[in-house]
Amino acid sequence: AEEEEEKVLVKVDWEIMDGQRASLTYQNTDGNTISSTGAGSRSYAFNDRYYQRANELTSYSLQVFSDWTDNFSTELRIGNQEVKNGQTPFTSDPDFGDVTILDVIDGVDVFLGADRFRQANKLNYDTDTFRLAGTYFAGDHEIKAGIEYGEVDVFNLFVPGSQGRFQFDSVEDFRNGIASRIRYNIPGSLDANDGAAEFAFENTTMFIQDRWMATDDLTVTFGLRYDEWTSNQTPTANPNFQQRYGFTNAVAPDMDLLQPRLGFNYVLDGSTFIYGGVGLFAGGNPNVWLSNNYSNNGVTILASDVRSGDALLAANTPGFLFNVPQASIDGLVGGDGAVNALDSDFNVPAIWKFNFGTQREFEDGTVAGFDVIYSQEKDAAKTIALNSIRVGRAADGRPIYVN
């Protein structure tokens, strides 16, 4: 397979009447990259360990620009964006499990079959957007204000090990069909698709900005932006998690952030100007890490780990490696698996940004500039392993944890 990328862009403009025009845009981007896992100086991976990471983006948008008076204009935009991300292994049969053969030659391990993270891995999200903004000129002021709304529907399928993980302690054991360990993760229905997280969240934004031409040489811009992220769907509650840690994992996103911003541009003379600003900025939509709270609830995905008994013998399971033994299915347990939880007091990560700079053009046309940029995180996101307890420090000062 080859890495490919195809892009299609179609745009139609329509002059409706004086002061009114519309634009309709269609875009499709379809591409893929090739990656592999398991290959290294002490390991060998067969071709079916390679996988294709495919990405397809399709978007539609309608924009209407209206000049109502000499001083007031508006922009209306309605759009939809669909993104499909998938990871397809190069295995000839997707039912074949993840196989590891240890110590084949002088400590070199061999891997074949799709690795566990490629066995059920797909992320799709569909976003509907709306934006209405207006610009008003009043004397030395250019005032912009507007509202934006977006709704994101997320489908996140991630069930590592849904085809089974088979381990053999030697190549002889592999030839003889004697596994040393079989691990299996699957929803109770035995259909990996039932382990997908499906949810929707909304993002509402309001903003206002005033660009003030204070003098012929000084322009000052200041404004406020407010963002809110909410969802009326909560992750599946895990009672064992709540009993152990004292709070529930069934917390839906309910976050907001007010972001003030200020900037200036001052012309010292015909060839030199200075500029600067300060503001609070948040990142983009937190699709993936919010989705993990819905898919990793410790309840939906069951697990089994067979390390002994006749179930490890290939002769006792028809289609061994394509199918897990019945003991792996009978041994499935759940309700106390790995959990991703969102703190009920979680604040949106943001960054304060400060900048100051100057630029000068010399008589020979050379342009020189100088910038100072400083950033400071606000409410930086942290991942805390609740099941790890700090028990001391090593001799070199590193902390020591136990589960």
Side-chain angles (χ1 to χ4, degrees), residues 64-68 72-77 130-136 143-148 205 207-208:
V64 178
F65 303 91
S66 303
D67 297 325
W68 301 101
F72 180 58
S73 61
T74 60
E75 174 197 352
L76 171 67
R77 184 174 69 207
F130 169 84
R131 171 187 166 96
L132 178 61
T135 302
Y136 180 68
I143 301 171
K144 294 183 178 182
I147 184 170
E148 299 179 8
T205 301
F207 63 90
I208 185 169

Side-chain angles (χ1 to χ4, degrees), residues 314-332:
N316 295 328
T317 301
F320 192 68
L321 301 184
F322 294 89
N323 298 310
V324 297
Q326 187 62 39
S328 293
I329 298 173
D330 296 339
L332 288 169

